[in-house]
Amino acid sequence: MAPEDKKQGGGFFASITSSLSNFGKTVNGMLGYEGLEVVNPEGGTEDAEAEAQRGRWKQEDRDSYWKMMQKYVGSDITSMVTLPVLIFEPMSMLQKMAELMEYSYLLDLADECEDPYMRLVYASSFFISVYYAIQRTWKPFNPILGETYEMVNHGGITFIAEQVSHHPPVGAGHAENDHFVYDITSKVKTKLLGNSVEVYPLGRTRVTLKRDGVILDLVPPPTKVSNLIFGRTWIDSPGEMILTNLTTGDKVVMYFQPCGWFGAGRFEVDGYVYNAAEEPKMLITGKWNESMSYQPCDVEGEPLPGTKLKEVWRVAEAPKDDKFQYTYFAHKINSLDTAPKKLLASDSRLRPDRYALEKGDLSRAGSEKSRLEERQRAEKRIKETKGLQHTPRWFDLTSEIAPTPWGELEVYHYNGKYDEHRAAMDGSGDIEEIDIRSTEFNPWQFGNLATE
């Protein structure tokens, strides 16, 4: 199949969209909810009513939230809707950013690789591997302004993330080891469609490979979360992922297949590494929840004679029947036992709502979540009264405005201060044992609101 054929999906996608629309009408008639679409990612229409009854919501909860969410249809709901804690996982979005580092060894291999096309095979496989973590249907907690997450015990990486803006929600992250520098300004734009939501990655991700100074830029596909309230929630990311070598002009274009009837095409992704003249050099194919392979190809995109597919990445073994579908790595980054020495008090691990949810106490998790959100609102009122602006600690707002397919983005840049802080903590002679669990979560700019 030629490269241009593989990248085309319009007709197929249109037919799928039409079929889903008809499916939605079938369910509407069964349940009586106008505009509702319930999709079964693995089945057909014969079990539409049963599929609509699946999910984590009780009937009375589904009814009330359906009525509430209807007024937001067509809107960006990134930070305007308060959701119940029962749909959350015990992890914040900043921890989710760190979780994407699980297969960072692929970036190490990209840096060590002399072949410019294999370099992109490794790098693109790294960015595809992150979708295994993204497929979880539990929602991470929105970080509190000033919240952080730090990781220093994986692949020689020092990782720091910080919530740098609350309205709109923006997180910034920086990871570095001997092979690469990873920088991200993370922001999303959403569109509520009723029982589903489209998520557009209005952010910027850059990787610098240290050996040759190569800079890679990522444009990921949008994501759709289906069956938010009715039915079994599931996530799909149909569309193109483009990874560009800004230094040489080489690039990777990967097409994520949309999920069809009976799960056809779900998880499948394929594409090519192109040189600067846009000639295909490597084909890449696989499933983002299983493995990826590559093979050299000719200018028509056909495999070269005498070559065969070689596996470049395979998902690591995961725990069986884990409540939140966590991998072993997800449990590792969520644990206080693996936290660095003298953990910042603003770290996500210390959030009382997150910790309560992890222990299965939904009531306390909900009350703690509400308390943190009210404290955040109180801080905002103080800043507005005093005419103050929030100043991030580890990242600086630059004057750069980055274009994305879904709008412009203000870019935050790592300021280097965390490296100094971590060196001071690790080099201090203080060996006093501190119980991290007794540390109070403190991302706040003002210490005592009662005296302000």
Side-chain angles (χ1 to χ4, degrees):
M1 181 179 292
E4 59 270 20
D5 294 328
K6 282 208 170 191
K7 293 195 302 185
Q8 295 300 318
F12 175 67
F13 187 75
S15 66
I16 290 295
T17 303
S18 176
S19 297
L20 294 183
S21 176
N22 292 332
F23 186 22
K25 293 175 183 177
T26 301
V27 178
N28 293 345
M30 292 180 177
L31 301 180
Y33 292 98
E34 182 179 358
L36 175 65
E37 180 180 67
V38 178
V39 181
N40 181 352
E42 289 129 17
T45 60
E46 68 280 1
D47 59 349
E49 185 171 16
E51 185 66 20
Q53 299 303 322
R54 294 179 184 271
R56 61 190 68 133
W57 297 85
K58 296 179 181 178
Q59 180 65 48
E60 57 271 22
D61 294 331
R62 289 203 300 256
D63 290 344
S64 62
Y65 273 96
W66 174 248
K67 292 177 182 177
M68 180 194 76
M69 296 297 281
Q70 279 184 312
K71 64 182 178 181
Y72 296 112
V73 171
S75 302
D76 183 349
I77 58 168
T78 306
S79 58
M80 63 191 296
V81 178
T82 299
L83 297 170
V85 75
L86 66 89
I87 71 167
F88 284 73
E89 63 177 335
M91 181 182 288
S92 85
M93 186 60 73
L94 298 182
Q95 292 173 278
K96 196 87 167 185
M97 291 168 64
E99 188 182 357
L100 306 188
M101 290 287 106
E102 177 167 6
Y103 300 99
S104 60
Y105 73 86
L106 290 166
L107 293 180
D108 295 346
L109 293 174
D111 181 58
E112 295 170 347
C113 185
E114 295 185 2
D115 185 314
Y117 310 124
M118 275 305 302
R119 174 183 291 158
L120 287 177
V121 169
Y122 288 125
S124 60
S125 296
F126 165 77
F127 285 113
I128 291 169
S129 75
V130 308
Y131 282 85
Y132 186 80
I134 293 174
Q135 72 173 322
R136 291 201 304 267
T137 58
W138 303 93
K139 183 188 182 304
F141 285 96
N142 289 339
I144 299 295
L145 185 61
E147 183 176 329
T148 59
Y149 181 81
E150 50 184 323
M151 178 179 69
V152 297
N153 54 4
H154 174 68
I157 293 171
T158 298
F159 177 95
I160 180 68
E162 180 178 9
Q163 191 72 2
V164 294
S165 173
H166 180 56
H167 286 295
V170 179
H174 174 85
E176 184 170 358
N177 68 2
D178 292 339
H179 291 285
F180 67 86
V181 177
Y182 173 99
D183 286 294
I184 181 172
T185 299
S186 178
K187 179 182 177 183
V188 297
K189 180 179 180 181
T190 63
K191 184 177 182 181
L192 181 66
L193 303 177
N195 197 39
S196 63
V197 62
E198 292 180 346
V199 182
Y200 304 97
L202 187 70
R204 191 182 79 170
T205 300
R206 291 274 173 90
V207 170
T208 301
L209 301 178
K210 288 187 172 181
R211 194 187 71 164
D212 295 332
V214 166
I215 299 175
L216 307 177
D217 178 82
L218 177 72
V219 177
T223 292
K224 183 176 181 180
V225 185
S226 297
N227 299 350
L228 285 173
I229 299 174
F230 294 86
R232 184 191 340 164
T233 305
W234 62 286
I235 297 175
D236 202 17
S237 298
E240 284 187 343
M241 183 189 84
I242 302 175
L243 181 66
T244 304
N245 184 332
L246 299 179
T247 308
T248 66
D250 302 336
K251 66 179 179 180
V252 182
V253 180
M254 301 297 300
Y255 184 69
F256 287 64
Q257 296 285 348
C259 178
W261 289 118
F262 304 103
R266 192 178 184 203
F267 311 117
E268 293 181 8
V269 55
D270 56 7
Y272 293 89
V273 176
Y274 296 89
N275 63 15
E278 298 191 352
E279 298 170 330
K281 291 295 182 178
M282 295 277 188
L283 65 85
I284 309 175
T285 186
K287 292 186 176 182
W288 51 259
N289 69 329
E290 291 182 5
S291 65
M292 296 300 299
S293 299
Y294 70 95
Q295 188 171 4
C297 63
D298 59 24
V299 293
E300 298 298 327
E302 297 298 328
L304 289 179
T307 65
K308 62 180 180 179
L309 281 173
K310 292 184 179 180
E311 187 173 280
V312 64
W313 165 79
R314 176 168 290 276
V315 69
E317 183 180 354
K320 304 294 184 184
D321 301 320
D322 190 86
K323 179 178 180 180
F324 294 103
Q325 299 173 299
Y326 277 7
T327 63
Y328 290 111
F329 184 70
H331 280 291
K332 175 182 176 181
I333 65 172
N334 216 24
S335 173
L336 287 167
D337 295 333
T338 60
K341 181 181 179 182
K342 296 183 178 178
L343 184 70
L344 292 169
S346 52
D347 194 90
S348 302
R349 298 174 183 87
L350 300 173
R351 288 184 60 141
D353 51 357
R354 185 212 67 79
Y355 190 70
L357 181 60
E358 184 177 52
K359 297 302 180 182
D361 191 341
L362 268 68
S363 178
R364 183 176 180 184
S367 62
E368 291 287 359
K369 176 176 176 288
S370 297
R371 183 178 66 83
L372 290 177
E373 291 170 346
E374 180 52 42
R375 174 66 186 267
Q376 184 168 231
R377 286 189 286 268
E379 280 233 332
K380 181 181 178 181
R381 290 193 292 269
I382 291 175
K383 291 174 184 176
E384 290 175 346
T385 300
K386 296 188 174 186
L388 300 175
Q389 296 290 328
H390 177 75
T391 301
R393 186 175 180 183
W394 312 114
F395 296 85
D396 296 332
L397 177 62
T398 70
S399 59
E400 183 178 2
I401 304 295
T404 78
W406 302 283
E408 295 184 333
L409 172 74
E410 293 181 317
V411 177
Y412 285 81
H413 183 71
Y414 174 63
N415 59 25
K417 293 179 181 179
Y418 178 76
D419 283 344
E420 299 171 7
H421 163 80
R422 182 44 53 198
M425 293 298 99
D426 292 343
S428 67
D430 184 5
I431 59 174
E432 180 183 355
E433 290 293 330
I434 299 176
D435 184 4
I436 295 177
R437 289 172 176 79
S438 66
T439 303
E440 183 179 358
F441 178 60
N442 183 15
W444 316 114
Q445 181 175 345
F446 297 101
N448 188 349
L449 294 181
T451 63
E452 294 296 337

